[in-house]
Amino acid sequence: MSSKVPTLTINSKTLLGETTPDGFNRTKRKYARLFLWLTSLLLLTSHPLLSLVTSTCAVYTMHGGTWFSHKNFKWMSASIISFCISLYSLTLSVESDFVDEERAYELKAVLEMKHRAAEMIWGGILLLCLGLTVKEQIDGVVAKSSGMVVEKNKKQT
C-alpha cells in the first residue's frame, strides 16, 4: 500500500483569486477592439454621443481584464482616450449649439473647429492602430501557412 500525499501548489495569484481561464483576456480584447472600430467610425462621421456610448462599452469590457498585461494595457488606454475625446467632442458640440451665431460667430466657429479636429485626429489615429492590428493578424496567418507549405514540400521530396 503506497501512501502518496497530494501536494497543493499555492502561488500569489491563487491566493488573490486572480486566475483567469484560457482565452479570457483575448476575448475581452476582441470585443473592445470591435467597440473601438465603431467608435473610430462614429468619430470620423461626427456622432459624438454614439461614440461616447461605444467607447464606454470598450472601457467597461476591458476593466475586468488583467491590468498588468501589455496587450490589455494598450487597448484599455485606447478605450479611455477614446472616451475622453468623445466626451470632449460632445461637450464642445453642445456648447457650440448654445452659442448665438449672430452675436458670437467666431466663438461658434472655433468650437465647431475644435470638436471636429479632435474627432478627426483621434478617429484617424485609432483607425491606424486598429488597421495595424488587423495587418499583424494577417501576417501571422500567412507566416503559419507558409511554414506548413514548406514542411509539406520537404516531405514530398
Side-chain angles (χ1 to χ4, degrees):
M1 188 163 137
S2 70
S3 61
K4 289 188 177 181
V5 178
T7 59
L8 177 65
T9 305
I10 298 177
N11 58 22
S12 62
K13 288 188 176 185
T14 306
L15 290 174
L16 296 174
E18 295 178 6
T19 57
T20 56
D22 292 337
F24 177 75
N25 289 314
R26 183 178 12 163
T27 304
K28 286 189 169 294
R29 287 191 301 269
K30 184 175 88 174
Y31 285 118
R33 282 194 301 266
L34 174 72
F35 286 125
L36 289 174
W37 274 105
L38 291 171
T39 301
S40 65
L41 294 175
L42 289 168
L43 281 172
L44 290 173
T45 57
S46 190
H47 293 93
L49 182 60
L50 293 176
S51 71
L52 182 67
V53 170
T54 56
S55 61
T56 303
C57 291
V59 170
Y60 183 75
T61 301
M62 287 303 296
H63 92 281
T66 305
W67 278 80
F68 298 113
S69 164
H70 175 267
K71 294 176 185 176
N72 285 2
F73 183 74
K74 176 174 66 172
W75 293 113
M76 182 59 153
S77 299
S79 300
I80 290 171
I81 293 170
S82 296
F83 175 79
C84 292
I85 294 292
S86 297
L87 186 61
Y88 174 75
S89 177
L90 180 64
T91 303
L92 290 181
S93 177
V94 169
E95 287 174 356
S96 94
D97 290 341
F98 284 118
V99 173
D100 185 17
E101 192 171 341
E102 293 177 11
R103 294 176 140 180
Y105 178 75
E106 290 178 13
L107 177 62
K108 186 174 184 80
V110 167
L111 290 173
E112 294 271 337
M113 189 172 49
K114 281 185 176 182
H115 101 267
R116 279 307 293 152
E119 288 174 340
M120 296 296 285
I121 291 169
W122 180 248
I125 291 171
L126 195 55
L127 270 178
L128 179 66
C129 292
L130 291 164
L132 288 173
T133 302
V134 170
K135 182 193 174 297
E136 288 174 4
Q137 291 173 351
I138 291 171
D139 289 345
V141 170
V142 169
K144 285 180 184 177
S145 65
S146 68
M148 290 173 23
V149 169
V150 169
E151 288 177 16
K152 184 178 179 183
N153 289 340
K154 283 181 183 179
K155 288 180 182 178
Q156 288 178 354
T157 58

